[in-house]
């Protein structure tokens, strides 16, 4: 069970219970049928909220997660605990990857429950069709690393075939590819060729380069300010791996959503 910041804030109990049940049912069923390898999915948002940067794989259990998604974070951390227990007690190679924020075609574009990029793509689509302004929630200042789903899929296949540690591995673009929510919104506005009337929040009167009908609703939570993760462990294995450039990935996702609007999850 996954969701954006606002769904997590609302349903921490459900995120804890459903994910803990999924963890144990999937892992123990795999064990009972003698599955050779399981690759589970954690997330860079499960790391301690008060931490040093960049975050790396050794820091998962070093302190409480951000309050907005403690249910999801603790449940996901338990996969790592359970993987170590299957290895210690039965020698199983059950491992986990730690993707940063994933986006791409076939995402959940629901504005209330989805993640920021699909939510903004859907909002721009609606703003263009009804001539309203785009509202970016929060202050636009938090920072995120985004990984394109197609790049993550390629890395997932590599993990399944070649990665044999029980220790989790972060699958993320580099620290240098981290962008602010405002910059992410700008990339979507550019990719969707959005130009509405000029409405900006006073918080951003200075230096806002988003001038096509964008509002920032700073009554909405920012969530974690940043969760900058290091991909040096991945780079040690795959120094040549090339991530799709962020703007190209955003453009492809926007095009997919526009072309598949009717059947997209929204
Ligand atoms: O992707 P997102 O919802 O989750 O991003 P997180 C939230 C950030 O984007 C906040 C801003 O700073 C929001 O204020 N934002 C701006 C928006 N406009 C929007 C919008 O239209 N929709 C959304 N959703 N946000 C999640 C965790 O954190 O990361 C989950 O809560 C999960 O557990 C996920 O792990 C990967 O990146 O903040």
């Amino acid at each position: 069970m996954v969701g954006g910041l606002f769904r997590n804030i609302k349903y921490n109990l459900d995120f804890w219970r459903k994910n803990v049940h999924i963890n144990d049912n999937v892992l123990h069923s795999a064990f009972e049928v003698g599955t050779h390898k399981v690759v589970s999915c954690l997330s860079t948002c499960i790391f301690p909220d008060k931490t040093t940067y960049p975050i790396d794989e050794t820091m998962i259990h070093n302190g409480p997660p951000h309050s907005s998604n403690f249910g999801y974070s603790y449940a996901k951390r338990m996969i790592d605990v359970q993987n170590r227990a299957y290895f210690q007690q039965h020698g199983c190679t059950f491992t986990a990857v730690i993707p940063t924020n994933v986006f791409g075609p076939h995402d959940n574009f629901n504005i209330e429950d989805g993640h920021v990029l699909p939510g903004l793509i859907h909002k721009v689509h609606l703003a263009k069709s009804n001539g309203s302004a785009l509202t970016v929630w929060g202050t636009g200042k938090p920072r995120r690393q985004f990984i394109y789903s197609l790049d993550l899929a390629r890395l997932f296949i590599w993990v399944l075939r070649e990665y044999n540690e029980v220790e989790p591995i972060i699958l993320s673009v580099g620290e240098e590819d981290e962008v602010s929510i405002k910059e992410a919104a700008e990339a979507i506005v550019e990719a969707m060729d959005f130009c509405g009337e000029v409405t900006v929040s006073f918080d951003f009167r200075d230096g806002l380069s988003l001038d096509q009908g964008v509002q920032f609703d700073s009554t909405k939570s920012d969530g974690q300010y940043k969760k900058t993760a290091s991909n040096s462990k991945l780079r040690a294995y795959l120094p040549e791996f090339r991530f799709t450039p962020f703007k190209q990935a955003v453009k492809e996702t926007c095009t997919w959503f526009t072309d598949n609007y009717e059947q997209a999850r929204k």
Side-chain angles (χ1 to χ4, degrees):
M1 176 179 176
V2 296
L5 167 64
F6 301 100
R7 188 173 186 215
N8 271 271
I9 290 172
K10 282 189 286 194
Y11 302 112
N12 269 293
L13 174 64
D14 294 348
F15 274 95
W16 161 259
R17 292 192 67 241
K18 289 183 191 288
N19 284 307
V20 163
H21 291 156
I22 292 170
N23 298 350
D24 194 52
N25 287 328
V26 170
L27 291 175
H28 208 64
S29 303
F31 168 69
E32 285 176 336
V33 299
T35 305
H36 174 65
K37 185 167 178 185
V38 178
V39 180
S40 298
C41 222
L42 312 185
S43 165
T44 54
C45 75
I46 72 170
F47 284 101
D49 183 41
K50 304 278 182 287
T51 182
T52 54
Y53 298 101
I55 295 168
D56 68 38
E57 292 86 352
T58 65
M59 300 157 81
I60 293 180
H61 304 286
N62 289 358
H66 192 264
S67 57
S68 61
N69 68 341
F70 69 89
Y72 179 78
S73 296
Y74 279 119
K76 284 297 185 176
R77 291 185 187 188
M78 291 307 107
I79 293 178
D80 178 46
V81 169
Q82 199 157 347
N83 283 347
R84 294 168 196 277
Y86 278 112
F87 179 71
Q88 185 200 57
Q89 193 165 322
H90 299 293
C92 303
T93 316
F94 292 1
T95 189
V97 296
I98 313 178
T100 189
N101 290 49
V102 189
F103 73 99
H106 308 282
D107 205 339
N108 172 6
F109 290 85
N110 180 282
I111 288 171
E112 290 307 318
D113 290 343
H115 292 104
V116 56
L117 294 186
L120 288 175
I121 290 169
H122 190 177
K123 285 182 184 175
V124 169
H125 182 90
L126 296 176
K128 285 183 74 173
S129 48
N130 56 34
S132 60
L134 163 66
T135 302
V136 181
W137 288 336
T139 64
K141 292 175 182 168
R143 304 187 62 74
R144 295 291 184 270
Q145 289 156 294
F146 291 102
I147 186 168
Y148 192 29
S149 56
L150 297 181
D151 293 340
L152 181 60
R154 292 186 189 104
L155 290 171
F156 235 108
I157 298 295
W158 169 78
V159 169
L160 196 58
R161 291 177 176 157
E162 309 292 340
Y163 179 73
N164 293 312
E165 297 183 39
V166 172
E167 294 286 324
I169 182 168
I170 288 172
L171 302 182
S172 173
V173 296
E175 298 156 58
E176 66 283 0
D177 295 316
E178 189 181 58
V179 296
S180 70
I181 297 299
K182 183 158 79 80
E183 288 164 334
E186 284 170 341
I188 292 168
V189 163
E190 180 186 337
M192 296 188 78
D193 193 22
F194 174 71
C195 19
E197 82 289 349
V198 180
T199 346
V200 290
S201 145
F202 69 93
D203 295 336
F204 275 91
R205 190 173 294 133
D206 54 317
L208 181 71
S209 57
L210 275 170
D211 56 3
Q212 292 94 349
V214 178
Q215 290 167 329
F216 287 87
D217 175 357
S218 45
T219 63
K220 289 266 189 181
S221 168
D222 269 343
Q224 279 179 282
Y225 173 67
K226 70 179 203 157
K227 36 187 173 178
T228 316
S230 160
N231 70 355
S232 51
K233 181 172 181 179
L234 173 64
R235 280 296 179 213
Y237 277 104
L238 296 176
E240 301 309 314
F241 185 83
R242 290 283 166 270
F243 291 96
T244 306
F246 178 63
K247 286 195 170 185
Q248 177 189 334
V250 167
K251 179 71 180 169
E252 290 177 10
T253 306
C254 293
T255 302
W256 182 89
F257 181 70
T258 308
D259 294 348
N260 297 276
Y261 184 75
E262 287 316 312
Q263 66 268 36
R265 282 191 299 160
K266 51 187 185 294

